Amino acid sequence: MNAVIPGPARRTPGTGEDLSVKGPWRIHATDARFSAVADTVRALLEPHLGDRLLPPDAFDSAASALTLTPDHTPEARRRRPSVGVSPAGLTEPADESYRLTVAEYGITCRAATPEGVFRAAVTALQMLTTSVATIPCQELSDAPRFAWRGLMLDPARGWLTAEEVRRLVDLAALYKLNVLHLHLTDNEGWRLQLPGFPELTAPRSADTPREHYTTEEYRALQQYAAERFITLVPEIDLPGHCAALREAMPQLPAAPAPQGLADRYPFVPPLDLTDPRTRETVAAVLDDVCRLTDGPFVHIGGDEAIGMTADSFVVAVRELRSLVRTSGKRPLAWQESSRAGIAPDDIAQYWVDVPMMDLPDTEEELATRPDLLAAGHTLEFTKALKAFFAPTDHDLARVIEGGGRILLSPQSHLYLDRPYAPDVVPGHQNETVARLGFRAYRPRDVRHTATWDPATHHIPDEHIAGVEATLFGESIESFADLTLLLLPRMASVAHTAWSGNRPDWEDHRTRLAHHARLWENLGLTYMASSEIPWA
């Protein structure tokens, strides 16, 4: 069984004895360009092979080899992703195509670039980990469809230590994701130390520190991710979602509110970017963030700016974009930013429209939705939600008409904080799973995530930036909570983001069954859905 996820595009059976996975194993780079990749692959393999992995300088004539080598065959050709924006800021996305050959003596990973040979090597890692005893001789070849394949995590509301983020970087790399988007600020917390603004992360008191990443930790996380060909994208969510900023700087005035709503709405007042002091403060904050960030993108938020007029929102988004560009980075924002205008260089992250929210229209329909009732929804509240989110139905058209790009993160399938459907949760996980996820979302099974097809949004390829799953942290109390929501669904998103198509469910569930061993080797909790015939 070939249990690789994402499933490779092409597989050719080979001849000869099956390859034993028992080892010992040595990692060998035949080209100096791949030496650093070999070191990273060794670090990723250690939790899975343990003593079966030889030290770097050791040699054993009986050892099987994982060989990283350039592809010099006549038929080799550079194959870049055909759709999307390079998260590394390159004019053209990197060539990530690879060939992998399994023979009696070992596994050979061939590619034209370090990125490509790394993708081949993590494919080999999956084969070694998910195979019980042997791997049949074969050749695989593959290349990604989408250039941007991301995962958003939310340490602002569900705190993650730097070590936990590194563990998730490793997991993302094993499934060929190449972006880690960190939602670093929200009402609940400001998680990045900035040299010019120590008050943002200063302890509330001697006994109540604010959890955050120091500048040194942030730089180290970026380097760690880059070694795994993952670009870190920080998000500073403005002009709304700014309670943590306001707590540190209470003197900043509120943005103009819609008529009749001033001092009445139960939300933190968004920032007023027309106020000179506010603009100066935000400019300095974003400049610090841009200086600390190695990658080309900084996410400015722009979502759910409840309690400000449409005009003040437009001014804020335009100002935030301009400030990021002035500081040398490219801005990225949630889809609501499209209402401030879109230019060809703009990227909007698409997450919602009213039909996707799946809200009832009548009291009778509401009565059949225990998920909404448990969240305290009334029919009046759902109608108010629909009215507030009504403009989202036109955001995609705005982006396309303006010539911009869309990063696909539809809440319906790619928001991994959606609760699991109770009927697929095993009994021993019922209690934990029942408290996880955003309660206003209809619970769904694992198959639901795997059914998502990017083509259903009917977006021309030239307007797609890529694909990104998100996992917001409102319900997360521990690292195990996070991975329980993430796995096994992240693997399904990774398949679609790489291949461009949803997986065949019967084949995919069989592949997933073998990945429990991989997650267990990494000490990661996963939801053992009854949909999957766990090996």
Side-chain angles (χ1 to χ4, degrees):
M1 167 66 190
N2 179 345
V4 172
I5 299 173
R10 289 162 294 280
R11 177 183 181 275
T12 304
T15 59
E17 295 287 332
D18 289 355
L19 171 66
S20 171
V21 302
K22 70 178 182 179
W25 282 87
R26 65 187 180 92
I27 300 174
H28 175 51
T30 68
D31 188 299
R33 293 182 304 149
F34 298 160
S35 296
V37 177
D39 292 339
T40 301
V41 171
R42 173 178 299 281
L44 290 171
L45 269 169
E46 282 177 345
H48 306 281
L49 294 185
D51 293 341
R52 292 182 289 157
L53 183 62
L54 294 176
D57 299 326
F59 179 79
D60 183 337
S61 60
S64 300
L66 177 60
T67 303
L68 314 182
T69 192
D71 196 341
H72 294 309
T73 58
E75 65 271 18
R77 57 193 174 91
R78 298 179 67 81
R79 298 185 62 217
R80 295 182 175 87
S82 57
V83 176
V85 173
S86 167
L90 305 174
T91 303
E92 289 187 335
D95 176 11
E96 300 177 81
S97 62
Y98 69 85
R99 289 194 301 133
L100 181 149
T101 303
V102 180
E104 298 176 33
Y105 55 82
I107 302 175
T108 302
C109 302
R110 295 183 177 88
T113 64
E115 291 93 335
V117 84
F118 181 74
R119 305 302 178 210
V122 297
T123 300
L125 183 153
Q126 286 194 22
M127 298 177 86
L128 289 169
T129 305
T130 61
S131 300
V132 176
T134 62
I135 306 172
C137 293
Q138 59 191 287
E139 181 166 291
L140 308 178
S141 59
D142 207 2
R145 165 80 165 155
F146 291 110
W148 184 301
R149 307 179 302 277
L151 172 65
M152 192 220 78
L153 300 173
D154 178 19
R157 287 177 283 196
W159 171 243
L160 297 165
T161 66
E163 175 57 29
E164 289 168 341
V165 173
R166 283 190 287 272
R167 293 175 69 184
L168 294 167
V169 167
D170 285 348
L171 180 66
L174 294 184
Y175 290 95
K176 301 183 176 69
L177 300 180
N178 64 354
V179 174
L180 181 67
H181 168 180
L182 290 182
H183 186 77
L184 290 170
T185 73
D186 212 297
N187 292 327
E188 293 79 1
W190 187 284
R191 305 303 187 186
L192 179 60
Q193 180 187 44
L194 297 180
F197 296 91
E199 63 269 41
L200 287 168
T201 49
R204 288 186 171 89
S205 69
D207 300 323
T208 55
R210 296 179 197 264
E211 294 167 314
H212 66 275
Y213 307 116
T214 66
T215 55
E216 293 78 12
E217 285 176 323
Y218 181 65
R219 290 190 185 280
L221 283 175
Q222 292 179 90
Q223 178 61 34
Y224 189 88
E227 290 168 358
R228 288 144 181 80
F229 299 96
I230 290 176
T231 299
L232 192 150
V233 175
E235 181 182 350
I236 305 300
D237 198 355
L238 299 171
H241 290 274
C242 59
L245 177 63
R246 285 198 171 283
E247 183 182 356
M249 303 174 186
Q251 71 278 10
L252 301 179
Q259 187 174 5
L261 286 185
D263 301 320
R264 292 184 58 228
Y265 52 88
F267 306 103
V268 177
L271 298 177
D272 180 7
L273 270 294
T274 65
D275 173 66
R277 184 172 183 180
T278 300
R279 185 197 177 281
E280 180 181 355
T281 299
V282 172
V285 165
L286 290 176
D287 190 55
D288 268 6
V289 173
C290 291
R291 288 177 186 275
L292 290 172
T293 299
D294 298 330
F297 291 94
V298 169
H299 201 301
I300 58 172
D303 63 313
E304 299 178 325
I306 302 170
M308 66 190 307
T309 63
D311 288 345
S312 62
F313 177 73
V314 167
V315 169
V317 170
R318 291 178 178 175
E319 194 64 53
L320 292 168
R321 287 176 182 157
S322 176
L323 293 172
V324 168
R325 289 192 172 102
T326 298
S327 294
K329 300 298 180 182
R330 186 172 174 183
L332 169 69
W334 296 102
Q335 70 183 70
E336 291 96 321
S337 63
S338 64
R339 299 164 211 172
I342 285 284
D345 193 45
D346 290 324
I347 299 176
Q349 188 164 2
Y350 172 58
W351 69 281
V352 71
D353 56 34
V354 173
M356 193 189 302
M357 296 177 73
D358 192 20
L359 294 172
D361 292 314
T362 66
E363 291 286 0
E364 291 74 20
E365 290 176 1
L366 179 60
T368 66
R369 296 289 302 277
D371 49 315
L372 296 181
L373 294 173
H377 281 221
T378 63
L379 188 62
E380 181 183 11
F381 182 66
T382 60
K383 288 180 178 179
L385 277 178
K386 287 184 180 182
F388 176 77
F389 283 99
T392 62
D393 291 348
H394 307 287
D395 287 338
L396 281 183
R398 292 185 184 96
V399 178
I400 293 171
E401 289 167 5
R405 299 269 194 152
I406 296 159
L407 182 58
L408 288 165
S409 299
Q411 168 240 89
S412 58
H413 292 82
L414 301 197
Y415 268 44
L416 303 185
D417 55 330
R418 178 177 293 276
Y420 288 108
D423 60 328
V424 302
V425 179
H428 71 281
Q429 291 185 310
N430 274 337
E431 185 176 349
T432 301
V433 171
R435 65 173 175 78
L436 292 177
F438 187 55
R439 306 320 302 174
Y441 295 157
R442 187 194 292 267
R444 297 289 191 182
D445 55 21
V446 173
R447 181 174 184 172
H448 176 78
T449 301
T451 62
W452 179 65
D453 185 344
T456 61
H457 299 285
H458 306 292
I459 302 170
D461 285 352
E462 63 269 23
H463 291 291
I464 296 177
V467 172
E468 187 170 289
T470 74
L471 180 47
F472 285 99
E474 293 98 331
S475 67
I476 292 171
E477 299 175 4
S478 67
F479 185 69
D481 285 352
L482 184 147
T483 62
L484 192 64
L485 286 170
L486 195 63
L487 299 170
R489 295 183 290 192
M490 189 196 82
S492 304
V493 180
H495 171 93
T496 302
W498 175 273
S499 71
N501 301 299
R502 65 186 179 191
D504 174 83
W505 173 245
E506 288 305 317
D507 175 71
H508 184 64
R509 66 191 285 267
T510 304
R511 290 174 186 265
L512 277 175
H514 295 270
H515 282 246
R517 187 180 303 114
L518 186 154
W519 303 330
E520 289 164 0
N521 288 347
L522 296 174
L524 302 178
T525 304
Y526 62 95
M527 205 283 283
S529 171
S530 60
E531 304 158 273
I532 298 164
W534 300 104

